[in-house]
Amino acid sequence: MSYPEFLEYPEPRYHGDTGEVNAAFRPASTPPDISSPGGGSTHYLATNESTGGEFGLYKVQLGARAAGAKTHFHKAMSESFYILSGELELYNGERWVTGREGDFLYVPVGGLHAFKNVTDEPMSMLLLFSPGAPREEYFERVAEMSQRGGEELKRFRIRHDSYFVEDFEPEGE
């Protein structure tokens, strides 16, 4: 394999000469940051704050028959799904595909997507948002806000860069 002589890397953001000690370790035994009654949980592996806005990485576990998220898109960030265990139905903007252990779905900025667990078994995945965004409030309050519904839910979603197709459909459809 040949490589181009000139590679384009991003501009350096670290300008020291010797490096520094600044890594963050999170043991697997760390309890989830959020747990839900249906067997779901979310682990904040790397947040917007901890990565300086570079990315957000979350381990999400969905219980059996978990609704997930209906069709939506993001205007400011991409979202990626990596299936760790179980199965997850993923909407890629055109059709539903079944994601299994080791499968990966990348959704660029503006890409329609959705997901749900239609099986009788729990599943787990990594969610990666790039660039990072303060998603923790979204994960912590989305169930509560979904119960409220209406314009309050729509404003909450938009505040968190989540544009759900159902929020913009004409009444009666």
Side-chain angles (χ1 to χ4, degrees):
M1 172 180 256
S2 66
Y3 297 96
E5 185 174 333
F6 300 101
L7 300 175
E8 291 190 32
Y9 274 79
E11 288 294 318
R13 294 182 293 156
Y14 175 74
H15 299 286
D17 294 325
T18 60
E20 59 187 63
V21 177
N22 60 5
F25 177 73
R26 181 181 165 112
S29 61
T30 304
D33 296 283
I34 305 171
S35 295
S36 62
S41 64
T42 302
H43 298 256
Y44 300 155
L45 302 178
T47 64
N48 171 67
E49 184 177 345
S50 70
T51 67
E54 290 186 31
F55 65 94
L57 181 64
Y58 306 88
K59 180 181 177 187
V60 176
Q61 296 171 290
L62 296 178
R65 303 280 170 194
K70 294 180 181 178
T71 305
H72 65 285
F73 63 95
H74 307 289
K75 292 185 177 185
M77 60 192 171
S78 65
E79 185 171 0
S80 297
F81 300 80
Y82 182 80
I83 309 302
L84 296 169
S85 66
E87 292 184 5
L88 184 68
E89 293 300 305
L90 296 156
Y91 182 63
N92 67 9
E94 291 182 318
R95 63 186 176 93
W96 288 94
V97 295
T98 301
R100 295 179 179 85
E101 182 178 333
D103 288 342
F104 176 77
L105 176 69
Y106 167 65
V107 183
V109 173
L112 292 169
H113 61 287
F115 62 92
K116 59 187 173 184
N117 182 358
V118 299
T119 74
D120 292 326
E121 299 296 325
M123 66 79 54
S124 67
M125 66 179 157
L126 294 176
L127 280 182
L128 174 71
F129 296 98
S130 180
R135 298 293 287 170
E136 296 77 37
E137 180 192 23
Y138 183 81
F139 289 120
E140 292 168 10
R141 297 191 62 209
V142 68
E144 165 201 344
M145 297 305 288
S146 293
Q147 288 181 340
R148 293 183 187 184
E151 284 299 311
E152 191 173 5
L153 173 60
K154 182 178 175 180
R155 283 191 306 275
F156 174 79
R157 288 171 167 173
I158 290 171
R159 177 176 166 208
H160 290 285
D161 189 33
S162 295
Y163 297 84
F164 280 72
V165 170
E166 69 185 12
D167 289 340
F168 301 98
E169 292 176 339
E171 293 292 320
E173 286 193 20

